[in-house]
Amino acid sequence: MTDESAVDITIDLDHAPEERPASSSRPVPWLVATGVTVLAAALGLTLTLRSGSAPACAAARPLAAAPPTGNATHSGKATFYDSKGAGGNCSNPAAPANRLYVALGPSEYSAAAACGGFLDVTGPKGTVRVLIMDQCPECAPGHLDLSREAFARIADPVQGLVPVTYRAVVNPPLPGPLTFRMKEGASQWWFAVRVGNHGNPLRSVEVRQGDSGVWQSAARQDYNYWLIDSGAGPGPFSIRVSDVYGNRATVGGVRLAPGQVQNSVVRMYGRGAVAATPRASTSARPPGSRPAVTPTPARRPVEVAKASAPTTGAPTTQPAGANARWCAG
């Protein structure tokens, strides 16, 4: 007995189809039509892919992460939090004395590229200037998480969430000359420095041994230290700092003094933007202490793995464990 429910269709794209008599017992014109439709769809897909047309999802790709810069005004929303005195993911020694600061979402924090810059934020009650010092992992682009004090300047805290506009501050008044802090565990084989009081977001940090030699580019980390994994020598160093607007300053005589804040007399721009030798701060942090950079409990915790520098000998390669870094949990 013949099973008439099975139909075999062969499509040869290189030759014209044969003329076959239709079955008198079970006509199948709908099956042929369906096969042709499927074939056309397949060919259409192939032609589309071969023609280089971008898939529809390409248009939905997110823009590259970047901090707010220039004179553009952005619209968004603001909430508030309390760092409890800590300096946030930008590794500030502490929150600013005026308690006016902000945490940005990952795209605008941009792996610490925004650290040290300032924003003017306008809300229902007025405008406040805030220091960018922290990251808000759960914040979308345009969502600013202000300090409680900053939020109170622009809105009633009972509102909790308000619409705002904000813009970067270009060349803001500087809080003081440039400062430099070598990270715990820094050595001649592993260089790590944090630059403070630069006003605008930084573009690059370059280091060389002494006052001559080749400049080495340091790599910014998402906790706002600048690293040279292979080290830059025993110091003292010359450090050249450039910001996103083209301002540049060079400071000589920066010592390899882990954990200490070294204050220079060089400003990033304006009066005093000349090379000079920094002096150690009278309130320098002891070398073995940990910087207060852990975010508040509302933020993703940050933990530090301190590098271990050798106490004797002078190895020619980076010592084991020197590749310390901060890891977001």
Side-chain angles (χ1 to χ4, degrees), residues 81-88 91-102 131 133-134 147 149 194 285 292-293 296:
Y81 81 110
D82 187 354
S83 78
K84 301 187 183 303
S91 296
N92 291 23
N98 63 10
R99 308 266 315 159
L100 302 179
Y101 53 85
V102 64
L131 170 69
M133 75 160 207
D134 209 352
S147 66
E149 292 81 359
R194 179 190 177 276
R285 188 180 300 275
V293 298
T296 62

Side-chain angles (χ1 to χ4, degrees), residues 17 33 38 47 72 75 84 94 139 168 171-172 187 202 246 263-264 284 293 310 315-316 318 325 328:
V38 172
L47 291 174
S75 297
K84 301 187 183 303
C139 291
N171 293 342
S187 70
L202 292 184
N263 297 325
S264 77
V293 298
T316 57
Q318 180 177 322
R325 65 184 180 88

Side-chain angles (χ1 to χ4, degrees), residues 62-95:
L63 298 176
T69 56
N71 296 315
T73 298
H74 308 269
S75 297
K77 60 184 178 181
T79 52
F80 64 88
Y81 81 110
D82 187 354
S83 78
K84 301 187 183 303
N89 283 117
C90 291
S91 296
N92 291 23

Side-chain angles (χ1 to χ4, degrees), residues 39-284:
L39 175 61
L43 289 174
L45 176 60
T46 302
L47 291 174
T48 300
L49 294 176
R50 289 181 178 177
S51 68
S53 300
C57 60
R61 290 175 182 171
L63 298 176
T69 56
N71 296 315
T73 298
H74 308 269
S75 297
K77 60 184 178 181
T79 52
F80 64 88
Y81 81 110
D82 187 354
S83 78
K84 301 187 183 303
N89 283 117
C90 291
S91 296
N92 291 23
N98 63 10
R99 308 266 315 159
L100 302 179
Y101 53 85
V102 64
L104 301 182
S107 64
E108 290 179 298
Y109 180 78
S110 189
C115 286
F118 290 82
L119 297 180
D120 280 343
V121 183
T122 301
K125 287 175 53 176
T127 300
V128 64
R129 180 164 295 180
V130 290
L131 170 69
I132 301 170
M133 75 160 207
D134 209 352
Q135 179 176 203
C136 173
E138 68 275 15
C139 291
H143 182 173
L144 309 182
D145 209 10
L146 299 168
S147 66
R148 180 183 294 271
E149 292 81 359
F151 189 93
R153 297 278 189 95
I154 65 165
D156 186 341
V158 75
Q159 293 179 266
L161 174 68
V162 295
V164 295
T165 59
Y166 61 98
R167 61 188 301 177
V169 183
V170 180
N171 293 342
L174 294 169
L178 290 169
T179 66
F180 301 90
R181 185 185 189 277
M182 296 291 170
K183 197 177 187 308
E184 292 85 352
S187 70
Q188 61 180 312
W189 304 283
W190 186 75
F191 180 91
V193 68
R194 179 190 177 276
V195 183
N197 292 347
H198 45 81
N200 299 312
L202 292 184
R203 183 183 300 279
S204 66
V205 171
E206 300 165 284
V207 183
R208 70 182 179 188
Q209 173 70 35
D211 297 326
S212 61
V214 179
W215 289 103
Q216 298 186 65
S217 295
R220 176 166 38 212
Q221 307 301 298
D222 61 6
Y223 53 93
N224 198 32
Y225 270 80
W226 295 80
L227 267 59
I228 300 177
D229 282 336
S230 59
F237 308 103
S238 293
I239 299 181
R240 185 165 65 187
V241 181
S242 302
D243 69 24
V244 296
Y245 302 115
N247 298 305
R248 174 180 287 182
T250 302
V251 178
V254 181
R255 298 174 295 107
L256 182 59
Q260 295 185 15
V261 177
Q262 300 178 58
N263 297 325
S264 77
V265 295
V266 179
R267 290 179 178 266
M268 189 66 202
Y269 45 82
R271 189 176 62 182
V274 295
T277 300
R279 50 185 166 76
S281 170
T282 55
S283 60

